[in-house]
């Protein structure tokens, strides 16, 4: 049969027709005898043909196709398609499975042979000696040589002791047989002498029966052992072969080959590293050197993690350039963005941390944000849920006393990531937010009623207002330093003081999205010179503001020396980069983390939107690593409005309002803890400390609701008030009164206000 294009199919055989009822209906009955044997068919008329005819439905479909063709088959010929043998594929698969099983069993026997030879010759120790000689490591050479001598001496000692051990075993067996025979003889005598007992012949007949049953069981066991030894040996060899060697690729199907490529094993990693064009590493592996896996490849989250000690002359930094990573990824059958080598800054330079994502891991979205539907946030006690790593580990970031810098190319989710942080902070009723959206696209519109200052727009005027906002934050910083000095506050501001309404030390977070608009504005607002207003304000906030709970968070899509001056970006404590155009841009955002393996430029534009490479003061960065790849939680604009609605409800529940940032609240008067403790004793000569604490909370919950027994004990120690321990801990009224008198006379240090820790 020919197809519509006139091509002749190779699987079509022209069949001779014997009976008239097999002729096509449109030829008529008389055509039966007119059908000759098809020329070139290689068969004789009336010969038997082996094949498989089409079903009636398939034959009807074929007839319709023939009717539509313009070129008809020659008159009298009947065309039928003969299918290929359907068992051919199954047979090929069966042959492949059998060959693979045989190969695996053979490899198992070879592995046993190698292990036996190594055990007899101490080959593994000799190999370590050879590697130590190649590496020139005299300490390791001496250690392994001593170990080889100890193993040889131990074997010689065991061989000398072998005859004695065998003789001792033989004597023990003879003794056991003698004791058993004696016991049986004594039992037989006792039974014979017992009235009504067995006679001597019955006793020995019973023992014979027992021996017969034992013999039958032993015979069955031996037969099972003999007949089952070969299958058991084959199964054990097959298991050993799977463990010790990989199946050749020509013995596996395409599906199985894809699974093999996706499994990360030490052999695969070693082969991949042998072809990354690092000369010293390639030479070492070609000479038979073995890599030292400090951490064997293991499943970790959505990929495989391992730690490798590279040979002498090779450092982890040799494998971190983007070109080397791409080559390594290709050798591992991965894309470049799925392979992340790092250099552990706490280990020596030859230790390589390697994480390889499972195929498709990078395409999985992050789970829902834990604070999306419910919950509050406390910047002093909580870490903000930020996202999950490629290893499915939750990333939380402490938000107190940290400045942030986020960079990315356009449309990569930079503003959404920064807005996520602001949404979490909005759920703390004590936090004040100042927001400047210099893109002006409405991404931050929901914060207009939660922020004390809200700027939206991309003109020079909006840049000027943002500069004023930064300078206001600088002025507020100076006021707080003066207030700390006046109130005798030393060190960090305590949580209880920060959260007390009207204290003037509440946390402030200043957000500047698209900050390149600010620093790119005309001088004196923007520019890179030191006298630029924006640069000076940002520099001062970076230098001093976090100690008084004022924080600056900036994001940009064009990080360069003009739009993001060096003096500004150097002050960030947490740095995050989404996809960026090149390594130089990555260095501007992530600094030296790029030299240790961070490659945000390898994230896929669009496909990896919202995925950040984070470095700096991120608590959940794994120990010893310079950065962490995070798929941040996504909160849509619609959901962001709902979160801000909840934030406003939380504010109302705590009796707080959003006031303009230009209105500086006067600091509250210091609290006299000694006077409060004296009042809580209710003129009692002795009062339990637990009762004092309960009364303090009852009298002034705004100040003392966060106190516990430890905090009260600390306050008592500060004023040298002894705690009397009897059945309960109590304090005396006279001791409190003496402390107040001594303080007022200047005999005790000042600083009894709520700001002192």
């Amino acid at each position: 049969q020919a197809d519509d294009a006139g091509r002749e199919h190779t699987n079509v055989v022209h069949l001779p027709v014997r009976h008239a009822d097999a002729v096509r209906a449109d030829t008529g009955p008389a055509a039966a005898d007119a059908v000759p044997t098809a020329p070139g068919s290689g068969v004789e008329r009336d010969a038997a043909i082996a094949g498989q005819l089409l079903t009636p439905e398939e034959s009807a479909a074929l007839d319709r196709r023939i009717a539509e063709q313009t070129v008809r088959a020659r008159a009298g010929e009947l065309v039928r398609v003969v299918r290929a043998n359907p068992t051919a594929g199954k047979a090929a698969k069966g042959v492949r499975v059998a060959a693979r099983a045989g190969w695996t069993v053979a490899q198992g026997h070879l592995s046993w042979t190698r292990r036996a030879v190594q055990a007899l010759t101490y080959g593994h120790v000799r190999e370590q000696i050879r590697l130590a000689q190649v590496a020139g490591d005299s300490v390791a050479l001496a250690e392994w040589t001593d170990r080889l001598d100890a193993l040889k001496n131990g074997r010689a000692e065991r061989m000398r002791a072998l005859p004695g051990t065998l003789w001792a075993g033989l004597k023990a067996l003879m003794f056991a047989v003698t004791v058993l025979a004696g016991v049986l003889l004594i039992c037989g005598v006792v039974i014979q002498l017992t009235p009504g007992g067995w006679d001597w012949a019955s006793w020995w007949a019973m023992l014979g029966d027992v021996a017969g049953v034992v013999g039958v069981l032993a015979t069955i066991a031996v037969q099972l052992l003999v007949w089952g030894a070969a299958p058991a040996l084959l199964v054990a060899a097959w298991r050993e072969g799977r463990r010790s060697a990989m199946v050749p690729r020509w013995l596996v199907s395409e599906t199985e080959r894809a699974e093999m490529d996706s499994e990360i094993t030490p052999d695969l990693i070693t082969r991949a590293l042998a072809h990354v064009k690092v000369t010293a590493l390639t030479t070492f592996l070609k000479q038979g050197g073995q890599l030292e896996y400090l951490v064997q490849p293991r499943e970790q989250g959505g990929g495989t993690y391992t730690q490798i000690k590279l040979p002498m002359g090779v450092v982890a930094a040799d494998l971190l350039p983007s070109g080397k990573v791409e080559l390594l990824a290709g050798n591992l059958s991965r894309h470049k963005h799925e392979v992340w080598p790092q250099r552990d800054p706490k280990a020596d330079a030859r230790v390589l941390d390697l994480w390889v994502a499972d195929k498709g891991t990078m395409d999985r979205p992050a789970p829902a944000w834990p604070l999306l539907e419910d919950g509050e946030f406390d910047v002093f006690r909580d870490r903000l849920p930020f996202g999950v790593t490629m290893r499915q580990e939750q990333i939380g970031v402490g938000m107190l006393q940290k400045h942030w810098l986020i960079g990315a190319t356009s449309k990569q989710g930079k503003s959404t990531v920064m807005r996520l942080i602001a949404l979490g902070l909005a759920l703390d009723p004590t936090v004040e937010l100042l927001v400047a959206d210099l893109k002006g696209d409405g991404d931050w519109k929901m914060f207009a009623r939660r922020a004390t200052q809200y700027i939206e727009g991309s003109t020079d005027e909006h840049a000027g207002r943002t500069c004023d906002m930064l300078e206001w934050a600088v002025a507020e910083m100076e006021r707080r330093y003066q207030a700390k000095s006046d109130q005798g506050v030393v060190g960090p501001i305590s949580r209880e003081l920060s959260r007390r309404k009207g204290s003037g030390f509440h946390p402030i977070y200043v957000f500047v999205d698209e900050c390149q608009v600010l620093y790119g504005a005309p001088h004196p607002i923007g520019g890179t010179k030191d006298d630029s207003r924006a640069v000076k304000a940002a520099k001062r906030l970076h230098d001093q503001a976090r100690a008084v709970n004022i924080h600056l968070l900036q994001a940009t899509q064009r990080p360069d020396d003009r739009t993001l001056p060096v003096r500004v970006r150097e002050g960030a404590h947490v740095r995050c980069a989404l996809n960026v155009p090149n390594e130089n841009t990555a260095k501007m955002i992530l600094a030296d983390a790029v030299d240790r393996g961070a490659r945000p430029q390898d994230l896929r534009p669009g496909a990896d939107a919202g995925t950040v490479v984070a470095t700096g003061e991120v608590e959940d960065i794994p120990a010893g690593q310079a950065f962490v790849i995070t798929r941040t939680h996504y909160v849509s604009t619609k959901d962001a409005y709902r979160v801000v609605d909840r934030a406003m409800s939380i504010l109302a529940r705590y009796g707080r309002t959003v006031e303009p940032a230009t209105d500086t609240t006067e600091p509250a008067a210091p609290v006299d803890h000694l006077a409060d403790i004296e009042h809580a004793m209710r003129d009692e000569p002795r009062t339990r400390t637990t009762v004092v604490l309960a009364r303090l909370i009852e009298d002034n919950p705004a100040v003392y609701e966060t106190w516990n027994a430890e905090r009260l004990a600390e306050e008592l120690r500060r004023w040298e008030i002894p705690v009397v321990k009897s059945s309960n801990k109590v304090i005396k009224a006279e001791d409190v009164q003496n402390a107040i008198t001594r303080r007022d006379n200047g005999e005790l240090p000042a600083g009894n206000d709520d700001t002192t820790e």
Side-chain angles (χ1 to χ4, degrees), residues 200 325 479:
W200 190 253
V325 174
R479 184 200 66 77

Side-chain angles (χ1 to χ4, degrees), residues 430-634:
T430 68
V431 165
E432 179 179 357
L433 300 176
L434 292 84
V435 176
D437 176 13
L438 297 181
K439 180 168 58 177
D441 198 26
D443 291 339
W444 294 79
K445 200 75 172 179
M446 67 289 300
F447 287 96
R449 56 195 178 113
R450 178 61 177 85
T452 56
Q453 284 194 39
Y454 180 74
I455 301 168
E456 183 180 286
S458 58
T459 66
D460 291 342
E461 178 185 356
H462 294 100
R465 291 173 55 193
T466 303
C467 186
D468 294 338
M469 184 174 72
L470 295 186
E471 291 174 340
W472 175 89
V474 172
E476 172 66 9
M477 175 191 74
E478 294 173 344
R479 184 200 66 77
R480 292 188 175 198
Y481 271 106
Q482 184 61 47
K484 283 184 66 178
S485 177
D486 295 342
Q487 299 180 32
V489 179
V490 178
I493 298 171
S494 67
R495 177 181 181 275
E496 59 186 23
L497 174 61
S498 176
R499 296 180 69 84
R500 189 174 352 123
K501 189 184 299 184
S503 68
F505 290 103
H506 59 282
I508 294 177
Y509 290 85
V510 182
F511 289 85
V512 183
D513 194 10
E514 307 294 350
C515 65
Q516 74 275 359
V517 176
L518 171 63
Y519 299 111
H523 192 270
I525 294 175
T528 59
K529 296 181 179 180
D530 291 343
D531 60 349
S532 164
R533 289 173 54 196
V535 171
K536 287 195 299 183
K539 182 67 168 59
R540 291 207 58 192
L541 290 175
H542 278 164
D543 290 345
Q544 296 178 284
R546 68 172 182 163
V548 288
N549 289 351
I550 299 177
H551 314 82
L552 177 60
L553 299 89
Q554 302 180 95
T556 179
Q557 62 173 292
R558 289 200 306 271
D560 55 45
D561 290 332
R562 185 181 66 84
T563 58
L564 190 63
V566 177
R567 290 172 60 85
V568 173
R569 61 179 184 257
E570 283 181 345
H573 304 98
V574 178
R575 296 168 175 244
C576 297
L578 294 91
N579 171 264
V580 294
N582 50 54
E583 183 176 338
N584 290 334
T585 305
K587 280 191 174 183
M588 288 187 178
I589 301 297
L590 301 180
D592 61 350
V594 174
D595 298 328
R596 290 184 283 182
R599 305 182 338 268
Q601 68 273 18
D602 288 343
L603 295 173
R604 298 165 296 173
D608 290 328
T611 299
V612 305
V613 179
T615 187
E617 297 182 14
V618 180
E619 289 82 353
D620 286 334
I621 292 180
Q625 296 186 10
F627 62 91
V628 63
I629 310 165
T630 305
R631 296 197 308 272
T632 58
H633 298 295
Y634 174 69

Side-chain angles (χ1 to χ4, degrees), residues 9 39 104 139 206 246 258 417 420 434 443 455 471 541 545 720:
H9 290 301
T104 304
V139 176
M206 186 273 293
M246 295 182 64
V417 171
L420 175 74
L434 292 84
D443 291 339
I455 301 168
E471 291 174 340
L541 290 175
E720 301 178 3

Side-chain angles (χ1 to χ4, degrees), residues 185-523:
L185 179 63
I186 293 173
C187 290
V189 173
V190 171
I191 290 175
Q192 186 177 11
L193 297 178
T194 301
W198 290 344
D199 57 16
W200 190 253
S202 299
W203 167 250
W204 289 111
M206 186 273 293
L207 292 181
D209 293 340
V210 172
V213 172
V214 172
V216 171
L217 294 177
T219 301
I220 294 174
V222 170
Q223 290 180 349
L224 290 176
L225 182 62
V226 170
W227 290 103
L233 180 64
L234 291 176
V235 171
W238 180 79
R239 292 174 61 91
E240 175 65 17
R242 288 192 62 188
R243 184 199 66 80
S244 61
M246 295 182 64
V247 180
R249 299 179 69 85
W250 57 273
L251 281 179
V252 298
S253 65
E254 293 184 2
T255 302
E256 294 167 328
R257 193 176 300 130
E259 293 178 356
M260 289 172 57
D261 290 340
S262 65
E263 184 178 359
I264 304 300
T265 62
D267 289 340
L268 180 60
I269 295 174
T270 301
R271 291 200 306 271
L273 290 174
H275 296 86
V276 292
K277 297 183 180 180
V278 176
T279 304
L281 179 59
T282 303
T283 302
F284 173 80
L285 294 176
K286 283 186 175 180
Q287 291 178 350
Q290 298 293 322
L291 294 177
E292 181 181 358
Y293 284 84
L294 304 179
V295 176
Q296 286 292 320
R298 65 190 184 195
E299 179 71 19
Q300 193 174 66
T304 302
Y305 171 75
T306 185
Q307 193 176 75
I308 308 167
K309 184 69 171 290
L310 299 173
M312 295 184 68
V314 185
V315 294
D318 294 336
L319 300 170
L320 301 185
S322 185
K324 298 295 184 185
V325 174
E326 185 171 13
L327 187 55
L328 175 61
N331 294 342
L332 294 172
S333 300
R334 293 294 193 274
H335 296 292
K336 182 166 63 172
H337 67 274
E338 295 176 324
V339 176
W340 293 89
Q342 294 192 45
R343 182 176 68 81
D344 185 347
K346 296 183 179 179
D348 65 66
R350 290 164 52 198
V351 175
L352 175 70
D353 269 27
L354 178 64
W355 186 76
V356 182
D358 292 339
K359 292 184 177 181
T361 291
M362 300 289 286
D363 299 324
R364 301 175 191 168
W369 191 41
L371 296 175
L372 180 60
E373 300 295 340
D374 191 20
E376 298 182 15
F377 184 69
D378 186 335
V379 295
F380 278 88
R381 292 179 174 175
D382 301 332
R383 285 195 290 176
L384 182 69
F386 189 55
V388 294
T389 68
M390 297 297 103
R391 308 170 189 182
Q392 302 297 315
E393 299 164 341
Q394 179 69 48
I395 289 291
V397 184
M399 294 305 304
L400 199 63
Q401 296 193 4
K402 295 176 183 177
H403 302 303
W404 284 62
L405 176 62
I406 302 175
T409 53
S410 180
K411 303 297 183 181
Q412 299 306 305
K414 163 182 52 62
S415 297
T416 304
V417 171
M418 194 177 190
R419 191 177 67 187
L420 175 74
I421 300 171
L423 289 172
L425 293 170
L427 297 176
D428 186 330
T430 68
V431 165
E432 179 179 357
L433 300 176
L434 292 84
V435 176
D437 176 13
L438 297 181
K439 180 168 58 177
D441 198 26
D443 291 339
W444 294 79
K445 200 75 172 179
M446 67 289 300
F447 287 96
R449 56 195 178 113
R450 178 61 177 85
T452 56
Q453 284 194 39
Y454 180 74
I455 301 168
E456 183 180 286
S458 58
T459 66
D460 291 342
E461 178 185 356
H462 294 100
R465 291 173 55 193
T466 303
C467 186
D468 294 338
M469 184 174 72
L470 295 186
E471 291 174 340
W472 175 89
V474 172
E476 172 66 9
M477 175 191 74
E478 294 173 344
R479 184 200 66 77
R480 292 188 175 198
Y481 271 106
Q482 184 61 47
K484 283 184 66 178
S485 177
D486 295 342
Q487 299 180 32
V489 179
V490 178
I493 298 171
S494 67
R495 177 181 181 275
E496 59 186 23
L497 174 61
S498 176
R499 296 180 69 84
R500 189 174 352 123
K501 189 184 299 184
S503 68
F505 290 103
H506 59 282
I508 294 177
Y509 290 85
V510 182
F511 289 85
V512 183
D513 194 10
E514 307 294 350
C515 65
Q516 74 275 359
V517 176
L518 171 63
Y519 299 111
H523 192 270

Side-chain angles (χ1 to χ4, degrees), residues 646-705:
R646 192 167 88 244
M648 299 305 293
S649 300
I650 293 173
L651 279 177
R653 188 166 68 247
Y654 281 86
R656 296 175 181 267
T657 58
V658 177
E659 300 176 356
T662 53
D663 296 339
T664 301
T665 306
E666 291 296 327
V671 178
D672 190 339
H673 292 314
L674 275 179
D676 289 347
I677 292 173
E678 182 184 29
H679 179 265
M681 296 187 69
R682 307 290 197 266
D683 296 328
E684 299 170 355
R686 296 161 60 95
T687 308
R688 286 185 295 172
T689 55
T690 54
V691 174
V692 171
L693 180 59
R695 291 173 179 172
L696 286 172
I697 297 174
E698 179 184 355
D699 293 342
N700 193 348
V703 174
Y704 296 108
E705 65 178 352

